[in-house]
């Protein structure tokens, strides 16, 4: 049998797998520039997240409709919270636990229109949304309230009033949910919202208090005792502290 015909001397050598791989790795100048630009942009985003001060919205803002809504809602306010602590700038601060009066319910309907008008003008400001959510809490519409509070927190993830309100709304929704697994899931979501409240904010003690209560209701007594102890480290003498002592298992003063 004769040998295979040899390749012509001037025929190009067959590409090896390694050389083919190296050829595909060769980038054009434009591709290299784009890649470096993307890396620099990512670096800039990372550095800005480290050094930019997070936005902690407070109060209601100075929109005329918001000011008018606050005037409509001025005065004592109460809402059903099942023992949880809740604060809303639209209602003047911390709200007492109890059924809202018919007069407050009537004024809330008029105030809602003004909060909605302010939100339409200031889409990036979470505070009008929180005002709407507070009125839904008064109306016992906890699912809608939680949704509006969460939307407010999308605009400002460190929004203390928004996180606190979302947690309370979810916990109250859990109390009204008959299915055990769904109720527990809502409570765990509420706990997560309370955990997002920054320790430097005025809402933090309320969130810590609520966190202990909801952890107890979610059958996590050890975690509930821990956070009750954290609350007592800040407040050991008020009427609220007595309930935390019962959860933490510490003797009364």
């Amino acid at each position: 049998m004769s040998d295979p015909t040899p390749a012509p001397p001037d025929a190009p050598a067959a590409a090896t797998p390694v050389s083919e791989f190296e050829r595909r790795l060769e980038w054009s100048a434009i591709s290299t520039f784009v890649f470096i630009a993307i890396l620099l942009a990512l670096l800039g985003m990372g550095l800005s997240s480290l050094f930019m001060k997070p936005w902690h919205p407070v109060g209601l803002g100075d929109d005329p409709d918001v000011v008018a809504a606050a005037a409509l809602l001025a005065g004592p306010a109460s809402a059903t919270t099942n023992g949880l602590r809740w604060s809303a700038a639209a209602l003047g601060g911390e709200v007492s636990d109890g059924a809202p009066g018919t007069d407050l319910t009537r004024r809330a309907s008029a105030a809602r229109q003004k909060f909605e008008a302010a939100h339409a003008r200031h889409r990036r400001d979470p505070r009008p949304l929180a005002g709407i959510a507070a009125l839904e809490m008064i109306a016992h519409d906890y699912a809608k309230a939680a949704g509006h509070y969460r939307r407010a927190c999308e605009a400002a993830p460190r929004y203390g009033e928004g996180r606190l309100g979302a947690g309370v709304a979810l916990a109250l929704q859990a109390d009204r949910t008959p299915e055990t697994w769904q109720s527990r899931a809502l409570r765990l979501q509420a706990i997560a919202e309370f955990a997002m409240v920054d320790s430097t904010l005025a809402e933090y003690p309320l969130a810590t208090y609520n966190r202990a209560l909801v952890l107890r209701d979610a059958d996590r007594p050890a975690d509930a005792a821990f956070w009750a102890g954290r609350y007592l480290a800040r407040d050991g003498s008020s009427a609220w502290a007595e309930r935390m002592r019962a959860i933490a298992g510490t003797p009364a003063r």
Side-chain angles (χ1 to χ4, degrees):
M1 189 175 199
S2 60
D3 294 335
T5 304
D10 56 349
T16 65
V18 173
S19 62
E20 178 65 17
F21 180 72
E22 290 175 343
R23 183 186 66 80
R24 294 189 179 187
L25 282 180
E26 292 178 357
W27 286 13
S28 66
I30 295 177
S31 300
T32 304
F33 175 79
V34 170
F35 179 71
I36 293 173
I38 292 172
L39 289 180
L40 290 174
L42 292 174
L43 177 62
M45 292 171 62
L47 291 175
S48 64
S49 65
L50 287 175
F51 296 107
M52 283 182 63
K53 186 178 180 180
W55 183 29
H56 294 128
V58 295
L60 289 171
D62 56 2
D63 182 273
D65 276 321
V66 166
V67 173
L72 282 169
L73 298 169
S78 59
T80 304
T81 62
N82 294 353
L84 298 174
R85 297 180 67 182
W86 172 53
S87 177
L91 300 172
E94 186 165 356
V95 181
S96 60
D97 185 6
T102 55
D103 180 58
L104 177 60
T105 303
R106 177 185 57 79
R107 287 182 285 125
S109 178
R112 181 184 180 112
Q113 298 177 9
K114 298 188 178 300
F115 280 124
E116 288 175 343
H119 172 60
R121 288 191 296 272
H122 309 286
R123 291 287 182 179
R124 295 186 178 182
D125 189 342
R127 293 172 293 185
L129 271 178
I132 294 170
L135 303 183
E136 290 166 339
M137 293 280 285
I138 292 174
H140 303 160
D141 197 344
Y142 304 126
K144 283 187 178 179
H148 279 118
Y149 274 129
R150 283 177 154 178
R151 281 179 57 195
C153 291
E154 288 175 3
R158 300 295 187 89
Y159 186 21
E161 181 179 331
R163 294 295 180 187
L164 176 68
V168 173
L170 289 164
L172 293 174
Q173 189 181 354
D175 291 342
R176 300 173 67 179
T177 302
E179 293 84 357
T180 302
W181 67 270
Q182 190 175 0
S183 177
R184 180 176 174 80
L186 288 168
R187 287 195 173 93
L188 293 177
Q189 292 177 49
I191 292 165
E193 294 292 341
F194 296 140
M196 290 289 289
V197 178
D198 196 298
S199 62
T200 62
L201 300 180
E203 292 85 4
Y204 181 76
L206 283 67
T208 304
Y209 182 94
N210 293 343
R211 192 172 179 179
L213 287 182
V214 179
L215 280 165
R216 180 202 60 185
D217 295 341
D219 298 321
R220 294 171 60 176
D223 292 332
F226 173 82
W227 286 103
R230 292 289 294 269
Y231 179 87
L232 291 169
R234 285 175 168 248
D235 170 22
S237 59
S238 72
W240 304 110
E242 294 305 316
R243 194 170 190 183
M244 292 293 100
R245 284 195 186 89
I247 294 176
T250 58
R253 291 185 177 180

